[in-house]
Amino acid sequence: GKGMPLAVCLPGGTCTTALLLQRSLNAIMDKRRKQNEKAIDIRVVVIPCVGDDEYATRQMISLDKAVGGTGRKEDLPWILKPRTDVEYGSARRRSRGYFTFGQPSKALLETYDEMNSENVSLDLLYGAPAWSLLLQHWRSRESDCPIAGRQLMYIHSGGLEGVASQLTRYKHKNLLPDARAVQTS
């Protein structure tokens, strides 16, 4: 990416895709190192959408060991955690800033709408929660963030076919104004 380091970000349920991507990149980087080739600076960053960072870590360690890895934390993808300086409300405060998977939320709908206005189509189960956390960090510009100073590549995990049914759930929870049509992008 034009000489800049890269953060490859993706939402995580079991975090399997993120772990396998990290393992592949580790193998490529090891091979380059052994051949004295220039190092590439690519960081895989998973955004937990099911559970929290501790759940994501446990899942990835278990899977890494199951496929012949060491299960060492330093071999795993980075995990993007909710910022500690953001007010989340009581429900998300109890979950340390993470969204409850599948639970309609005004904050998720706002992220969904914001990204749609930028012509980025998201689903409400993985894409909107992931981008909600990504945008928190992107806007903060803090240097200790896993995406700081990096170009960002987002791997979309799909799920767009379920947006209409998710928006219907938002409407039933009175989070979607009656005047707004339930439609997908």
Side-chain angles (χ1 to χ4, degrees):
K2 299 180 183 174
M4 285 187 67
L6 178 66
V8 179
C9 302
L10 61 160
T14 61
C15 303
T16 300
T17 304
L19 175 71
L20 296 177
L21 177 58
Q22 182 69 60
R23 285 176 55 95
S24 295
L25 281 173
N26 288 348
I28 290 168
M29 290 187 256
D30 285 345
K31 182 178 177 183
R32 290 180 67 92
R33 219 177 353 268
K34 288 175 185 172
Q35 296 174 344
N36 294 320
E37 293 181 27
K38 184 179 177 189
I40 51 176
D41 189 355
I42 302 174
R43 178 178 288 173
V44 177
V45 180
V46 65
I47 305 122
C49 297
V50 176
D52 58 15
D53 54 293
E54 293 171 359
Y55 171 78
T57 300
R58 285 192 313 270
Q59 287 290 106
M60 291 188 291
I61 287 172
S62 176
L63 177 60
D64 192 44
K65 288 178 180 177
V67 295
T70 63
R72 297 180 321 155
K73 284 186 180 183
E74 55 269 18
D75 293 335
L76 303 179
W78 289 71
I79 299 175
L80 193 66
K81 301 174 187 176
R83 292 176 43 83
T84 57
D85 61 346
V86 174
E87 175 52 46
Y88 294 108
S90 62
R92 284 185 58 205
R93 216 177 8 260
R94 284 192 302 274
S95 62
R96 299 179 325 157
Y98 289 97
F99 292 97
T100 301
F101 183 75
Q103 182 66 41
S105 156
K106 182 179 177 184
L108 292 179
L109 190 59
E110 289 169 356
T111 300
Y112 171 84
D113 287 339
E114 178 180 351
M115 297 308 291
N116 270 331
S117 74
E118 298 292 332
N119 295 316
V120 177
S121 297
L122 299 176
D123 67 286
L124 288 155
L125 295 176
Y126 291 92
W131 273 98
S132 182
L133 288 181
L134 269 171
L135 290 171
Q136 283 178 18
H137 287 278
W138 187 263
R139 291 174 177 145
S140 77
R141 303 284 186 198
E142 287 193 6
S143 59
D144 64 342
C145 168
I147 63 173
R150 295 175 173 275
Q151 287 192 30
L152 190 126
M153 175 190 292
Y154 179 77
I155 298 178
H156 198 295
S157 62
L160 295 178
E161 62 278 354
V163 169
S165 66
Q166 282 295 308
L167 287 173
T168 299
R169 292 183 69 220
Y170 276 71
K171 188 170 184 172
H172 291 304
K173 295 275 187 177
N174 293 319
L175 293 170
L176 196 64
D178 287 336
R180 180 171 165 185
V182 175
Q183 60 186 3
T184 60
S185 28

